[in-house]
Amino acid sequence: MKKERKSTVAVSPEVIDRRIYLIRRQRVMLDADLASLYGVETKTLNRATKRNRDRFPKDFMFLVTAAEARSLRYQFGTSNGHRGGRRYLPYAFSEQGVAMLSSVLNSPRAIQVNIVIMRAFVKLRHVMATHEELSRRIDELEGKHDAKFRVVFDAIRRLMGPPPSPPKRQIGFTAPANPPKMRARV
């Protein structure tokens, strides 16, 4: 009699956190990222979802537009379709869509990876809720205290916001404002 081995999935939450994107004000994961986590090809994952289309309404899974795909490509630096990259637009899966995938891809690995992904989504929701609570408390404190602390509150708000984008560096040759005069050879 053979013993069944329970396979463990070595997927870190940090890897999953980096694969959660914000598209159309929703936190989603792309089909190619999910397929690599589940250990299947992207076309296999997409075929399984198309066979079970009734399980994936528009708020669970949607096709990314060309503009959204370009924006994502700039974020993580993939090639375009003309140079051996992806030829079709990706599907994006919301948290509910990812949960539904475990029933469509009914394998032990899919179930284990799904557990890790669901924990990552919950952690992300918790972080966002904490951020909103902190912002609300700062607003309350600011209302209670006078202008002496305004500098402190402004500094805290700047720290909570997104980091400023670095200035764009000029590329190419720039001619000096006052070029040196050339003497003619005689």
Side-chain angles (χ1 to χ4, degrees):
M1 180 158 76
K2 288 185 179 179
K3 286 186 179 179
E4 286 186 30
R5 276 199 227 167
K6 191 172 185 178
S7 64
T8 58
V9 177
V11 178
S12 70
E14 292 81 24
V15 169
I16 293 172
D17 287 345
R18 281 182 269 149
R19 294 179 178 190
I20 296 176
Y21 304 102
L22 189 65
I23 302 175
R24 300 181 195 174
R25 297 183 184 166
Q26 289 188 58
R27 285 176 190 76
V28 297
M29 292 186 76
L30 299 178
D31 56 1
D33 292 335
L34 288 165
S36 71
L37 290 170
Y38 291 137
V40 297
E41 290 183 358
T42 306
K43 66 181 177 182
T44 304
L45 182 133
N46 287 335
R47 276 189 205 143
T49 57
K50 287 176 184 173
R51 279 194 303 265
N52 296 283
R53 199 64 166 154
D54 55 329
R55 292 181 183 226
F56 295 96
K58 289 183 182 182
D59 58 330
F60 283 26
M61 178 184 89
F62 58 87
L63 188 64
V64 174
T65 65
E68 291 166 339
R70 271 192 307 277
S71 173
L72 287 170
R73 189 177 311 123
Y74 293 133
Q75 287 179 31
F76 50 76
T78 59
S79 65
N80 63 21
H82 303 294
R83 295 194 186 124
R86 188 173 183 140
R87 286 163 180 74
Y88 303 103
L89 293 172
Y91 283 98
F93 292 84
S94 67
E95 182 177 353
Q96 295 84 6
V98 172
M100 190 59 73
L101 272 174
S102 68
S103 65
V104 172
L105 300 173
N106 195 10
S107 71
R109 179 176 173 90
I111 292 167
Q112 290 176 349
V113 168
N114 244 31
I115 290 169
V116 178
I117 292 172
M118 289 299 110
R119 287 181 178 153
F121 271 110
V122 168
K123 184 180 101 179
L124 190 60
R125 249 195 331 264
H126 178 71
V127 167
M128 294 306 294
T130 303
H131 187 11
E132 289 171 7
E133 175 66 20
L134 181 61
S135 181
R136 186 185 60 76
R137 286 186 179 181
I138 288 173
D139 288 341
E140 287 175 6
L141 284 173
E142 189 176 17
K144 291 179 185 177
H145 299 285
D146 59 356
K148 287 187 224 175
F149 293 106
R150 176 140 336 267
V151 174
V152 174
F153 291 123
D154 289 343
I156 291 172
R157 281 215 170 72
R158 279 194 307 273
L159 289 172
M160 288 176 55
S165 59
K168 296 265 185 181
R169 201 178 84 181
Q170 288 288 338
I171 298 175
F173 177 77
T174 305
N178 295 322
K181 293 184 181 182
M182 302 293 281
R183 289 191 293 187
R185 288 189 189 181
V186 208

